[in-house]
């Protein structure tokens, strides 16, 4: 099989991205234009502004991905684009552009689910490292600003299938990081800032209750060898997540500990600084704030890890993948590796640039579909709520 070069395009949220990937196993170029500065004053992604920024960025980003790869429009073999889930208007920018390019160049176009892209980011990373021997079944935790989902992933030849066995009932984990950062006057996006600051606080200082999700039988899947069958859908709830409670708990803590004036001071100091550096944040946080941040992060991480490992045990998986923006978190990576190693379970992450939104993962996920000639019809459209099966 000759090498196949796929140009991936991703525009589902607030990053305009394009990448060229060779045969699903090597990143040749990977360009990401972040809209961080546009959305920061609003403390979150504003959908209409996101679409407008994608329109401005898409052509230069694709051109750069091609020129970084030493490729031309004509010399790629196929195009791949994110179909969903994501913001409809943002997705449409990437899709319309990819369709026009595919039509003009007479190249095949492949539609990719963003969540499948995150899972393939791990596979891409492993192939780049030369690791081709993965144990199956795989349990993938996709943990980002929009998702906290657990999938069992299997493959038959080049065809991949997924089964969702757990998800958040309310906020996604990344959303909780972002909302707590906003409450603390730390700007947007909050995950990377909390990640850096948490190392400076005491993670045991503030006690938060772990989320309590009721399920039919709490004993099920809690010990090794208690396998859950495919018919036990009702029990899947055991592996659901919930993160709106911890956000409310942080808010209550701020109020009862009279932290509002220091938060306001931090918010206005950061508002005057268009590109704050890590030391600017640190200088603006007192000890109780750092302790609160460290405790929040620790609670989130312990919950993500304990539920994922419980699911791994119940479904007797051979490998765990952790992917999506929150998988860039340092403490999450270290703790996951440590706790999974205690159970003899390999846990794999993408490199940090492949954890957050990017188009290399879209081009990588498209490769098996290219081999299967699973091309998108020209009338396909964005699907904001696209599910992964
Ligand atoms: O995968 P992603 O780039 O976009 C979505 O598909 O949502 O994930 C973005 C999310 C944001 O909520 C961001 O705060 C969070 O990932 N994030 C992090 C870190 N880096 C990004 N959360 C915790 N620690 C990080 N280092
Ligand atoms: Zn994502």
């Amino acid at each position: 099989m000759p090498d196949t070069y796929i140009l991936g395009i991703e525009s589902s949220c607030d990053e305009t991205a394009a990448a060229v990937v060779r045969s699903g196993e090597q990143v040749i170029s990977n360009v990401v234009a972040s809209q961080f500065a546009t959305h920061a004053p609003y403390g979150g992604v504003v959908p209409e502004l996101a679409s407008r920024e994608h329109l401005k960025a898409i052509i230069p980003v694709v051109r750069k991905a091609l020129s970084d790869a030493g490729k031309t429009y004509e010399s790629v073999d196929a195009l791949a684009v994110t179909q969903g889930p994501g913001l409809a208007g943002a997705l449409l920018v990437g899709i319309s552009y990819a369709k026009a390019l595919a039509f003009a160049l007479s190249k095949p176009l492949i539609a990719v689910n963003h969540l499948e892209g995150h899972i393939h980011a791990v596979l891409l990373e492993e192939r780049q490292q030369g690791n081709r021997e993965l144990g199956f079944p795989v349990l993938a935790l996709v943990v980002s600003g929009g998702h906290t989902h657990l999938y069992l992933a299997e493959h038959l030849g080049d065809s991949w299938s997924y089964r969702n066995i757990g998800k958040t009932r309310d906020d996604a984990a990344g959303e909780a990081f972002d909302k707590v950062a906003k409450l603390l006057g730390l700007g947007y996006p909050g995950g990377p800032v909390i990640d850096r600051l948490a190392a400076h606080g005491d993670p045991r200082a503030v006690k938060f209750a772990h989320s309590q999700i009721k399920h039919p039988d709490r004993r099920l899947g809690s010990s090794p060898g208690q396998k859950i069958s495919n018919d036990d859908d009702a029990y899947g709830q055991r592996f659901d997540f919930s993160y709106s409670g911890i956000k409310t708990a942080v808010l209550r803590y701020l109020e009862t500990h009279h932290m509002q004036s220091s938060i306001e001071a931090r918010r206005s100091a950061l508002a005057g600084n268009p590109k704050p550096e890590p030391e600017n944040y640190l200088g603006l946080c007192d000890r109780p704030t750092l302790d609160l941040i460290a405790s929040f992060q620790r609670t989130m991480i312990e919950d993500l890890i304990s539920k994922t490992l419980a699911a791994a045990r119940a479904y007797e998986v051979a490998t765990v993948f952790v992917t999506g923006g929150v998988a860039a978190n340092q403490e999450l990576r270290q703790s996951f590796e440590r706790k999974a190693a205690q159970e003899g379970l390999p846990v794999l992450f993408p490199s940090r640039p492949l954890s957050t939104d990017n188009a290399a993962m879209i081009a990588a996920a498209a490769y098996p579909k290219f081999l299967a000639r699973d091309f998108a019809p020209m009338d396909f459209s964005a699907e904001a709520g696209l599910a992964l099966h």
Side-chain angles (χ1 to χ4, degrees), residues 102-122:
F103 182 72
L105 298 167
S106 301
K107 305 268 182 200
L109 176 60
I110 297 153
V112 175
N113 183 307
H114 182 83
L115 302 172
E116 185 174 20
H118 275 303
I119 294 172
H120 279 257
V122 184

Side-chain angles (χ1 to χ4, degrees), residues 132-383:
R132 277 150 209 279
E133 298 300 321
L134 287 178
F136 283 87
V138 162
L139 176 68
L141 170 67
V142 181
V143 61
S144 69
H147 295 87
T148 307
H149 279 48
L150 283 169
Y151 292 99
L152 289 174
E154 309 245 24
H155 74 125
L156 199 64
D158 289 315
S159 165
W160 286 79
S161 63
Y162 308 91
R163 185 151 75 94
N164 178 239
I165 57 151
K167 60 181 179 308
T168 181
R169 298 280 184 88
D170 39 55
D171 291 354
E175 194 178 350
F177 272 86
D178 294 336
K179 285 179 174 169
V180 164
K182 191 173 177 184
L183 286 174
L184 290 168
L186 291 168
Y188 176 86
V193 178
I194 289 184
D195 186 357
R196 275 187 239 113
L197 293 175
H200 299 273
D202 173 5
R204 299 281 166 222
V206 183
K207 302 267 175 279
F208 292 111
H210 282 275
S211 61
Q212 300 279 312
I213 304 271
K214 290 201 175 61
H215 55 88
D217 184 349
R218 281 186 178 276
R219 287 165 300 143
L220 197 73
S222 56
S223 59
Q226 267 189 292
K227 196 173 180 185
I228 292 183
S229 81
N230 284 354
D231 308 325
D232 281 327
D233 275 352
Y235 297 117
Q237 295 169 12
R238 174 171 165 72
F239 308 113
D240 277 356
F241 303 86
S242 167
Y243 296 119
S244 70
I246 192 165
K247 171 197 65 191
T248 314
V250 168
L251 177 61
R252 217 173 294 125
Y253 188 91
L254 300 177
E255 287 166 357
T256 51
H257 291 74
H258 311 291
M259 296 167 88
Q260 293 299 358
S261 58
S262 71
I263 290 170
E264 273 320 314
R266 182 162 50 244
R267 194 169 278 137
S268 35
L270 287 170
N273 185 344
K275 255 193 151 239
E277 297 293 330
E279 54 278 13
N280 301 129
Y281 289 104
L282 193 55
L284 293 166
C285 293
D286 55 14
R287 169 86 12 225
T289 304
L290 292 170
D291 287 348
L292 177 61
I293 289 170
S295 303
F296 160 75
Q297 179 171 288
R298 177 65 58 89
T299 310
M300 292 294 296
I301 288 174
E302 284 180 349
D303 190 74
L304 287 166
I305 296 178
S306 66
K307 291 219 174 83
T308 306
L309 292 183
R313 260 177 250 129
Y315 287 91
E316 295 186 341
V317 303
T319 312
V320 173
F321 287 5
V322 183
T323 186
V326 180
N329 187 279
Q330 274 182 74
E331 189 187 336
L332 178 85
R333 292 168 92 102
Q334 285 163 5
S335 304
F336 236 123
E337 265 166 5
R338 203 177 48 247
K339 293 200 174 144
Q342 286 165 2
E343 308 202 9
L345 201 57
V347 54
L348 306 176
F349 301 87
S351 63
R352 287 190 174 210
L354 292 182
S355 296
T356 47
D357 285 353
N358 66 87
M361 68 187 197
I362 302 302
Y367 182 62
K369 298 183 202 297
F370 177 85
L371 295 178
R373 303 186 61 77
D374 180 5
F375 302 138
M378 267 300 169
D379 62 353
F380 91 99
S381 194
E383 277 200 44

Side-chain angles (χ1 to χ4, degrees), residues 16 38 49-61 93:
T16 319
T38 305
L49 295 182
S51 308
R52 200 193 300 167
E53 292 300 307
H54 284 308
L55 277 171
K56 280 196 238 160
I58 191 107
I59 293 173
V61 164
V93 176

